[in-house]
């Protein structure tokens, strides 16, 4: 086997390992570390909430790597899935640069925090770890 062919195999092997590491890292972040369906451009959506709207909006504030967020994740995601037709959900990763403004605005001091809005007014919220309470606020009840 020629030297050039050996180097080609080595480079191809290293490229494959690097590619698989990147894919594995993305999968781990999306399923284990984060796992929440973060809203793209959440700030634009929050700023556009009409004050007189009767449609409910539910805000979910979470932090990747937070054990309480991970414990609440399945309850939140399942409730969101079953109520997505009638409720607007905005999911905010608190590590994002512009999240601090909304943490202050809505008085979020711990995660996960779920806040139900009617228009742009807070009608209910929880930072509880009780799954029933989380599901109730996430459902906008």
């Amino acid at each position: 086997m020629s030297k050039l062919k050996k180097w080609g195999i080595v480079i191809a092997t290293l490229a494959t390992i690097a590619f698989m590491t990147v894919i594995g890292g993305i999968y781990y972040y999306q399923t284990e570390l984060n796992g929440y369906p973060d809203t793209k451009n959440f700030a634009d959506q929050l700023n556009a909430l009409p004050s007189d709207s009767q449609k409910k909006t539910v805000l979910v504030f979470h932090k990747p790597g937070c054990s309480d967020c991970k414990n609440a994740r399945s309850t939140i995601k399942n409730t969101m899935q079953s109520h997505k037709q009638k409720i607007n959900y905005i999911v905010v990763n608190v590590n994002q640069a512009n999240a601090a403004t909304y943490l202050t605005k809505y008085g979020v001091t711990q995660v996960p925090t779920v806040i139900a809005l009617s228009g742009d007014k807070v009608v209910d919220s929880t930072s509880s770890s009780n799954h029933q309470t989380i599901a109730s606020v996430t459902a906008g009840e």
Side-chain angles (χ1 to χ4, degrees):
M1 187 179 281
S2 74
K3 215 174 192 180
L4 186 60
K5 197 171 192 179
K6 286 181 184 178
W7 276 108
I9 292 171
V10 168
I11 290 172
T13 303
L14 290 174
T16 302
I17 291 170
F19 178 75
M20 295 306 290
T21 301
V22 168
I23 296 299
I26 291 169
Y27 177 78
Y28 175 74
Y29 178 78
Q30 289 299 325
T31 59
E32 292 300 317
L33 195 57
N34 183 10
Y36 278 87
D38 293 338
T39 303
K40 291 183 185 347
N41 302 319
F42 69 87
D44 294 339
Q45 289 189 34
L46 286 170
N47 291 334
L49 288 174
S51 60
D52 58 349
S53 173
Q54 294 305 310
K55 183 168 182 176
K56 289 194 177 181
T57 299
V58 172
L59 311 178
V60 178
F61 292 90
H62 74 94
K63 181 178 180 179
C66 160
S67 61
D68 288 339
C69 297
K70 186 175 180 181
N71 291 337
R73 183 172 58 206
S74 64
T75 301
I76 291 170
K77 286 175 73 173
N78 290 339
T79 307
M80 287 173 62
Q81 183 64 30
S82 61
H83 292 83
K84 68 182 177 184
Q85 299 301 331
K86 62 180 183 171
I87 296 176
N88 177 35
Y89 289 100
I90 300 175
V91 182
V92 180
N93 174 341
V94 300
N95 286 342
Q96 291 187 0
N98 51 353
T101 302
Y102 302 98
L103 294 173
T104 302
K105 179 177 180 177
Y106 293 104
V108 176
T109 57
Q110 62 186 37
V111 287
T113 295
V114 181
I115 301 171
L117 305 173
S118 181
D120 64 353
K121 308 287 186 266
V122 175
V123 293
D124 199 3
S125 68
T126 187
S127 292
S128 171
S129 59
N130 179 291
H131 289 278
Q132 200 168 16
T133 304
I134 293 168
S136 176
V137 176
T138 305
E141 299 171 349

